[in-house]
Amino acid sequence: MNNKKLKTILEIVILIICTIYVFQKVEKPYIKNLFGSSDRFINYNNYSNMFEININQETDFILVLNKNYKINHIIFLSTNTKYLYNKNIENIDNNKEIINKIIEILITNNLLKTSSSITITRYGKTYYDKFKNYFTKSLENYNISTNINEKDNTIIGKANELNLEYSTEEDALLKLDYYSKELMSKEKNNINESINNNLDDENAKSYSNNVYKKIEKYVYENKIKDLPKENSNLLITDIPADDNLQYYPDQNSWYYVSDEKLYAYIEFNNNEKIYNFCYNGSIDSIKNGVC
């Protein structure tokens, strides 16, 4: 092998290594930060056990533990568990703090009261005694009854209860997660429909600018010079426009990058009025209407 070929191979290897490094250190963390704590998908390979909490046969959710015995995922099974959605509960390292935060949120939203009927369903014995101890102590701290009903179930059994189709236990767990995300997605849309009437020209423009700035930051940090409109690196419809994760650009929205300049069309639709904004290479070039 001559020196020229060897040099070319080394350059390719270095480029690949640099690309992987940039993705892991910059692009991946940034994309992750754009979305809420409840949006990632469950990892069966890191699954250890899970416990279902049902309150008054109305509030139902599952806390999933990984192999490090950390509660790192929530499966939402009733619409009123939206109050736990994307609250960074899954990012807390201490299980005691996680349980305390969950109970506090449930109490604040009148889903858990002193005399509530609580049922815990075990999906295995691993870590259950310690979990129940944390849970009951937290209930006591808030003067909630610790008269807890206990049941046993399996992942397959829960999938059957919800009439989900699956092929293996791993597939059944994934289908439970899909069920949860679909439920929260529908609830988020319902919330948007109910509050979209509060949109006006001023806050719609502010939300649009928020989305544009997030894409602009993504482009800048990843040193992107050109990116086609059809790119799937960062979907504009997945970028929250507000801190409460209530507003997102609709399907007609798009963006692309040309010569390091960001061009975008951002649209919000509240079923009564369309708010749309066009950016011609910078946030200062914004104009109302279609590009």
Side-chain angles (χ1 to χ4, degrees), residues 119-161:
T119 299
I120 298 180
T121 300
R122 300 176 291 249
Y123 286 79
K125 295 181 180 179
T126 305
Y127 196 56
Y128 177 70
D129 290 339
K130 186 175 287 188
F131 169 81
K132 185 185 176 185
N133 183 49
Y134 290 166
F135 190 73
T136 53
K137 283 187 176 180
S138 185
L139 291 176
E140 289 174 352
N141 290 337
Y142 289 95
N143 297 315
I144 304 294
S145 172
T146 57
N147 185 21
I148 298 172
N149 303 308
E150 298 178 60
K151 294 169 56 178
D152 292 287
N153 203 348
T154 64
I155 294 173
I156 297 294
K158 191 63 185 181
N160 288 336
E161 284 181 24

Side-chain angles (χ1 to χ4, degrees), residues 37-154:
S37 60
S38 302
D39 291 329
R40 70 177 182 272
F41 287 94
I42 200 165
N43 182 0
Y44 181 78
N45 293 326
N46 197 29
Y47 169 84
S48 174
N49 200 359
M50 62 188 195
F51 308 116
E52 182 177 349
I53 310 296
N54 188 296
I55 303 170
N56 297 327
Q57 301 299 314
E58 296 173 350
T59 305
D60 198 7
F61 61 95
I62 295 176
L63 302 177
V64 183
L65 282 70
N66 63 19
K67 290 184 177 179
N68 293 323
Y69 304 117
K70 176 191 171 185
I71 299 170
N72 73 331
H73 202 85
I74 301 177
I75 295 176
F76 303 91
L77 299 175
S78 62
T79 57
N80 56 11
T81 54
K82 64 188 178 187
Y83 298 107
L84 301 174
Y85 181 71
N86 282 344
K87 298 301 183 183
N88 284 319
I89 294 169
E90 303 91 329
N91 290 334
I92 299 174
D93 290 329
N94 188 299
N95 282 347
K96 288 182 181 179
E97 291 182 23
I98 291 175
I99 292 170
N100 282 334
K101 184 170 183 179
I102 288 172
I103 289 177
E104 182 178 323
I105 291 172
L106 294 174
I107 291 173
T108 300
N109 291 281
N110 295 316
L111 299 176
L112 182 60
K113 301 177 181 180
T114 55
S115 59
S116 291
S117 173
I118 303 173
T119 299
I120 298 180
T121 300
R122 300 176 291 249
Y123 286 79
K125 295 181 180 179
T126 305
Y127 196 56
Y128 177 70
D129 290 339
K130 186 175 287 188
F131 169 81
K132 185 185 176 185
N133 183 49
Y134 290 166
F135 190 73
T136 53
K137 283 187 176 180
S138 185
L139 291 176
E140 289 174 352
N141 290 337
Y142 289 95
N143 297 315
I144 304 294
S145 172
T146 57
N147 185 21
I148 298 172
N149 303 308
E150 298 178 60
K151 294 169 56 178
D152 292 287
N153 203 348
T154 64

Side-chain angles (χ1 to χ4, degrees), residues 22 26 216-226 257 260:
V22 169
V26 179
E216 192 175 47
K217 183 179 179 183
Y218 167 77
V219 169
Y220 173 78
E221 291 183 346
N222 289 280
K223 297 179 173 60
I224 296 173
K225 295 183 178 180
D226 295 282
V257 181
E260 301 183 11

Side-chain angles (χ1 to χ4, degrees), residues 207-208 211 236-241 247-254 265-269:
Y207 293 155
S208 181
V211 173
I236 192 170
T237 52
D238 287 341
I239 301 174
Y247 296 93
Y248 294 77
D250 70 16
Q251 296 293 332
N252 293 324
S253 305
W254 50 259
Y265 171 70
I266 300 174
E267 178 180 294
F268 302 100
N269 189 341

